[in-house]
Amino acid sequence: MSPSAPSTAMVGREAETRVVRAVFERSLEGTPVALLVEGEAGIGKSRLLREFAAEVANRADVHVGWCLDLGASRTPFGPLVGILRSIVSQLGAESVRAQLGVGAEALGMLLPELNPTERSQTSPDRVRDAIAALIEVAAERNPQVLIVEDLHWADDSTLAILAFLMRSLTRGRIMLLLSCRSDDVRRGDAVSSFIGESTRARLLDRVQVDRLDADAVRELAEAIIGQPLSDTALERIRSRAEGVPFFIEEIAGCSAGPLPGTLRDLLLARFDRLGDDARRVVQVASGADRALTHPTISALAGLADGRLDEAIREATQSGILIVVDDEYRFRHALLREAVHDDLLPGERARLHRSYAELMEQQGAGAASGEPAALAYHWQLAQDPRRALAAAMTAMSDAKARFAFASAARFGELVLDLWAQVPDAEIVVDVPRLEFLRSLGSVLRNAGDGERALAVVNLALSEVDPAAVDPRTHARLLRDKAYYTMNLGRNGSVPLLQDSLSVLDGRVDDDRLHASILNQLGSRYMVAGRLADAIDIATEAERRGDAAGSDEETSIAANIRAASLAHLGSVADAHEQYALALARANTTNAELRYRVNYSDLLGLLGRYRDAVRVAEEGMERAREYGVERTTGAIMTQNMAVPLLEMGEIERVEGMLARELAQATLRIFHAYSTMTRVRVLSWRGRHVEAAEIVREWHPVFAEAGVDERQIWYDEIMMRLSVAESGGDLRAALDEVRAMLRDDGPRLLHERRLMLEAGWLIAELRATGEAVDDAVSEVREAWLSQPEQLLDDAWWRILSAFLDPSIPALRSAVDLADGDDVPVTFRVMARLVLARMLVDTAERPAAASVLDEARRTAETLGHVPLGRAVAEFAHAAGLRAADSRHAGGVGSGDAEPLTARELQVLELIAEGLSNRQIAERLFISVKTVSVHVSAVLRKLGVASRTEVAVLHRENTPTVRQPAVIR
């Protein structure tokens, strides 16, 4: 067995090395880069990274962190702690404190030796910002290479920070280098999603490390053996190793004798040749999830110093263990896995018990990240009682560090172990129902709504109403209502009513009553039961006052404000929102205020104010680690007004980030409407239509209890129809909405405004729109008085009853801040059509050119297409008057045979619809032909066409140009 395998030169990785070097050189230009080195187990990823790190060690600071193999119990922020500790070590703690200021306090969540920090003193947002700031500070001194090994074992909190760094680090000589065992990444898991989203967003370059070819196999094997190989020996190695360098090394070491029969035997071949003491050391090391210090091995191996030294020397010379930074680790993870799997169940349990006891003796603290490892060791030690206690501590630790996904995993472990420990409540010092409530909350914050609902259902199934504290019972029912709503499902209102029934007459707790009443009032409000919502909120406010709870009275004012706004009492609504903000002394109350108030501002067209309020709310949501839940609503409340303001690229970026993080179904439903509108805006109506079909069941179910969702689906279908050119179908969506006998909310104002343009466009094609005009006008004027006479109504009125003065005024109004930016194009297009009809072609050309430029600036494909089609049909060219010369123009185009038919029917006085019926073609096609006739004849109206036709009757029947 050759001991030199680990030290042979790296073979066959020239191409991959060039890629890594090139990415590093790019980082030296001052723009951060990220590269993923991926490949199967044993392919040489870590070797490639080690060689590269050694190569650039004199040009950059290299920091390495490892994701640890702890099964499902992954350590929060696993590799990042080591990387950050290395950076701080190089910069010096005092320098870091001086340069980061308060950021050093946030880093104390991960590095308590820098500055011990309590959860209440910081937030996820500050921790992320501090990490980014530390890396940037280090990059000002030297280029930084941050290596994260074994990404396939990364926890969700690590993935979230890496995603944040790739998006937020925009300057500095920084290279983020990741390695990942591709055969351990399952489709759909968190790591797979991270890689996929980062690649699609072009934040992450990737290099695949493939198997070695025949020449490289020979070169590597001969370097290990130290002599040339016969073709027979080479073929034996090739057929068994299949080009995987690690297997080549192991097989080459056995080339003098018979090859092991299985892969397991191959991996254990070196181990089997060790002496007893060396085997003991290697077995001990196999139980560790990380590198081991000499004192740790000494404490666990139970060997005298001399015997221990000889055993370690034999293990390292055999090529199984290596020494890195005065610590011992396996040369390859596959070797560790093989040795560990070879242990008998009793041996494995005793080994992990030894690890767990040693960690407890050494005082494994939560801040060190050791609770996760302790839970892992006690679980494998088959000691459910101690594993339960450790898992509970690990759950609390992860939750305290805002690592909700990791906390959820430990909580699931606690749930699994609970049944194995008779006195589990005593062990964890938490009643089972309270633990289940806490786990449900953690799961929700981690974005797993289905599992949160399953956990609360489990808790309710264990409730004995006669024996349980009614407060606990009521809270569980309230939680179930909340999780049901999060999933976009019906049934939250009866659950809240049941919750109140549990309390009535049994519990004198005004604060709890107020909380549940507020949640019920909120559900009434979103369902459109506005009067009921106001009554419930008023009762909640009374209870909140009695309990001295500003939080509950703030939420009550919030609900009353939103309900009053939808009833048309806008001024009163603003007053109630001001009261809600004044009383919002908790994060929950403040975020509720910002969600609802930004929504109202957007519905009223106060887009800049809506964005400001939502942006402030997003900052707070990030600070408190709820960006996946409340933050997702706030993102939508920012995206909609930004879209109405025309900031399409910013909205697309927000949607990409929203897709990259796990959140709850109802929040995805909110953003789906915006996604469909964005795709339709870009002209991708086929893709948008597919999303509408996919999400229809969700919107249909959620729309029963949440009227906004019902309106959102109408907006989606309208957008798709518009983008596809089916304006009649788009208008029909609005008319169907107006005929619905359900509650009317402010959301319909925007849809009615859109209907005005649809009516104007359809009228231009000759379609009958009188009924639609009456329907839309009547619906608008039936609103409460405070909602009537505004810019939107004057624009809508100009579309419904067009005149040039009214449309010119509409153009001016559309250029204001409080009108959707698309109406800058729409109003000009309608005005240009009327100017053409009144023979004011130069003015029409100017207006149309403004519309074209605006559509191009907005990147709005359907509107750009509509402007271009009309310009072509009417003979109006931007900055081009060649077709404005009228009948006498010498470069007029000849009419086609179909256009001649249309010309004759226009002269007869037929409408577009009548022409369509006569020729058996669509009205839209007739409209195109009519526009072409007008353009080619150089006239502005159908009347001029008829006059010209009569004057040229002998000529027009010839295939010639009309003069």
Side-chain angles (χ1 to χ4, degrees), residues 277-278 280-282 284 293-315 328:
D277 286 351
R280 172 62 181 163
V281 166
V282 171
V284 165
T293 63
H294 188 86
T296 299
I297 288 187
S298 177
L300 294 169
L303 298 174
D305 289 346
R307 289 175 60 189
L308 179 63
D309 292 341
E310 287 303 315
I312 293 175
R313 182 173 290 108
E314 183 180 354
Y328 304 108

Side-chain angles (χ1 to χ4, degrees), residues 187-368:
R187 184 174 182 179
D189 71 3
V191 175
S192 174
S193 298
F194 165 81
I195 294 172
E197 292 297 334
S198 301
T199 303
R200 282 190 289 275
R202 299 183 179 180
L203 300 172
L204 183 65
D205 292 329
R206 299 167 70 173
V207 58
Q208 177 75 32
V209 182
D210 294 319
R211 298 184 178 189
L212 299 178
D213 60 22
D215 291 340
V217 170
R218 177 185 288 277
E219 183 180 352
L220 177 57
E222 290 180 347
I224 294 170
I225 296 170
Q227 61 185 25
L229 284 175
S230 67
D231 291 342
T232 301
L234 177 62
E235 182 56 33
R236 185 169 72 154
I237 293 175
R238 283 187 57 197
S239 63
R240 296 296 299 278
E242 297 182 335
V244 177
F246 177 70
F247 297 150
I248 294 169
E249 292 176 356
E250 297 305 298
I251 294 171
C254 302
S255 60
L259 288 181
T262 66
L263 177 58
R264 173 184 172 279
D265 293 336
L266 173 63
L267 292 172
L268 292 173
R270 293 175 185 268
F271 174 75
D272 290 339
R273 288 172 169 77
L274 297 176
D276 290 342
D277 286 351
R279 286 164 60 89
R280 172 62 181 163
V281 166
V282 171
Q283 286 175 329
V284 165
S286 76
D289 55 287
R290 64 199 73 190
L292 293 174
T293 63
H294 188 86
T296 299
I297 288 187
S298 177
L300 294 169
L303 298 174
D305 289 346
R307 289 175 60 189
L308 179 63
D309 292 341
E310 287 303 315
I312 293 175
R313 182 173 290 108
E314 183 180 354
T316 55
Q317 288 179 343
S318 72
I320 295 178
L321 298 183
I322 58 175
V323 181
V324 179
D325 297 331
D326 293 331
E327 293 184 326
Y328 304 108
R329 66 171 62 245
F330 276 83
R331 179 167 61 86
H332 200 283
L334 287 175
L335 280 172
R336 186 186 75 83
E337 293 164 12
V339 173
H340 189 263
D341 290 345
D342 191 53
L343 293 170
L344 295 172
E347 291 177 311
R348 189 179 302 118
R350 288 192 297 273
L351 174 61
H352 286 283
R353 175 176 291 276
S354 298
Y355 270 100
E357 290 174 343
L358 180 64
M359 291 178 66
E360 288 186 343
Q361 291 170 12
Q362 294 175 343
S368 68

Side-chain angles (χ1 to χ4, degrees), residues 390-611:
M392 192 72 176
T393 301
M395 173 183 165
S396 299
D397 168 55
K399 181 181 177 182
R401 294 202 275 168
F402 309 105
F404 291 113
S406 296
R409 285 200 177 95
F410 291 118
E412 296 276 13
L413 178 57
V414 170
L415 192 57
D416 290 341
L417 293 168
W418 197 289
Q420 303 175 44
V421 181
D423 57 344
E425 289 193 358
I426 296 174
V427 171
V428 300
D429 196 25
V430 175
R432 178 172 169 82
L433 291 179
E434 287 302 320
F435 160 69
L436 291 173
R437 281 198 63 234
S438 179
L439 177 56
S441 175
V442 165
L443 285 162
R444 177 193 179 267
N445 285 326
D448 193 346
E450 292 286 358
R451 189 61 179 154
L453 183 60
V455 167
V456 78
N457 279 333
L458 173 63
L460 285 167
S461 73
E462 298 178 5
V463 165
D464 178 357
V468 74
D469 181 347
R471 293 176 179 82
T472 298
H473 190 187
R475 289 186 178 109
L476 286 169
L477 289 167
R478 179 191 61 186
D479 292 349
K480 182 175 180 180
Y482 197 38
Y483 302 154
T484 298
M485 178 270 291
N486 287 165
L487 292 169
R489 294 177 185 160
N490 301 328
S492 59
V493 168
L495 287 165
L496 292 168
Q497 292 169 335
D498 289 347
S499 179
L500 289 170
S501 297
V502 168
L503 295 178
D504 286 344
R506 301 177 63 194
V507 176
D508 184 18
D509 187 335
D510 285 320
R511 174 67 184 271
L512 183 56
H513 269 92
S515 171
I516 298 171
L517 284 166
N518 271 328
Q519 194 159 332
L520 179 60
S522 177
R523 299 317 299 156
Y524 281 156
M525 183 264 291
V526 299
R529 296 174 57 177
L530 304 175
D532 291 337
I534 291 172
D535 290 344
I536 291 289
T538 301
E539 173 63 12
E541 183 179 51
R542 185 185 70 78
R543 294 271 193 173
D545 278 334
S549 172
D550 284 343
E551 177 183 28
E552 298 303 338
T553 58
S554 170
I555 295 170
N558 190 326
I559 294 167
R560 194 162 47 238
S563 302
L564 287 168
H566 287 297
L567 287 170
S569 299
V570 178
D572 292 340
H574 285 305
E575 290 181 5
Q576 286 294 309
Y577 273 126
L579 179 62
L581 178 59
R583 294 178 174 175
N585 63 349
T586 66
T587 305
N588 179 41
E590 181 187 348
L591 291 180
R592 285 194 182 213
Y593 157 79
R594 294 193 181 282
V595 165
N596 286 349
Y597 193 46
S598 62
D599 184 53
L600 172 63
L601 292 170
L603 292 171
L604 295 176
R606 291 175 54 181
Y607 299 128
R608 297 186 187 282
D609 290 337
V611 170

Side-chain angles (χ1 to χ4, degrees), residues 727 897 957:
L727 303 190
R957 296 192 179 277

Side-chain angles (χ1 to χ4, degrees), residues 513-742:
H513 269 92
S515 171
I516 298 171
L517 284 166
N518 271 328
Q519 194 159 332
L520 179 60
S522 177
R523 299 317 299 156
Y524 281 156
M525 183 264 291
V526 299
R529 296 174 57 177
L530 304 175
D532 291 337
I534 291 172
D535 290 344
I536 291 289
T538 301
E539 173 63 12
E541 183 179 51
R542 185 185 70 78
R543 294 271 193 173
D545 278 334
S549 172
D550 284 343
E551 177 183 28
E552 298 303 338
T553 58
S554 170
I555 295 170
N558 190 326
I559 294 167
R560 194 162 47 238
S563 302
L564 287 168
H566 287 297
L567 287 170
S569 299
V570 178
D572 292 340
H574 285 305
E575 290 181 5
Q576 286 294 309
Y577 273 126
L579 179 62
L581 178 59
R583 294 178 174 175
N585 63 349
T586 66
T587 305
N588 179 41
E590 181 187 348
L591 291 180
R592 285 194 182 213
Y593 157 79
R594 294 193 181 282
V595 165
N596 286 349
Y597 193 46
S598 62
D599 184 53
L600 172 63
L601 292 170
L603 292 171
L604 295 176
R606 291 175 54 181
Y607 299 128
R608 297 186 187 282
D609 290 337
V611 170
R612 174 184 54 79
V613 172
E615 279 181 330
E616 292 169 354
M618 270 304 302
E619 291 178 7
R620 300 292 281 171
R622 284 192 295 265
E623 286 179 8
Y624 289 94
V626 292
E627 63 268 42
R628 299 185 184 198
T629 50
T630 306
I633 309 175
M634 214 80 71
T635 298
Q636 173 68 357
N637 284 5
M638 285 177 59
V640 171
L642 285 170
L643 186 64
E644 299 289 24
M645 291 163 60
E647 297 192 31
I648 181 74
E649 292 181 356
R650 185 175 174 188
V651 174
E652 288 170 328
M654 294 169 68
L655 290 174
R657 288 191 292 276
E658 189 265 348
L659 278 175
Q661 69 178 10
T663 189
L664 301 168
R665 186 168 72 158
I666 192 65
F667 305 136
H668 271 315
Y670 297 151
S671 63
T672 294
M673 186 270 287
T674 304
R675 181 167 292 107
V676 167
R677 288 187 66 188
V678 165
L679 290 170
S680 300
W681 183 302
R682 294 300 198 188
R684 295 160 60 183
H685 58 89
V686 174
E687 185 178 346
E690 182 58 35
I691 293 176
V692 173
R693 284 191 292 272
E694 175 189 348
W695 277 82
H696 172 70
V698 175
F699 278 79
E701 181 179 6
V704 173
D705 280 357
E706 191 155 344
R707 190 68 169 173
Q708 174 181 335
I709 292 291
W710 183 79
Y711 281 111
D712 283 354
E713 187 169 21
I714 293 171
M715 176 59 85
M716 290 195 302
R717 292 196 300 262
L718 180 149
S719 299
V720 171
E722 276 189 4
S723 185
D726 193 347
L727 303 190
R728 171 58 67 179
L731 180 59
D732 287 344
E733 291 290 346
V734 180
R735 298 183 71 181
M737 173 196 74
L738 296 177
R739 294 168 187 166
D740 184 83
D741 58 3

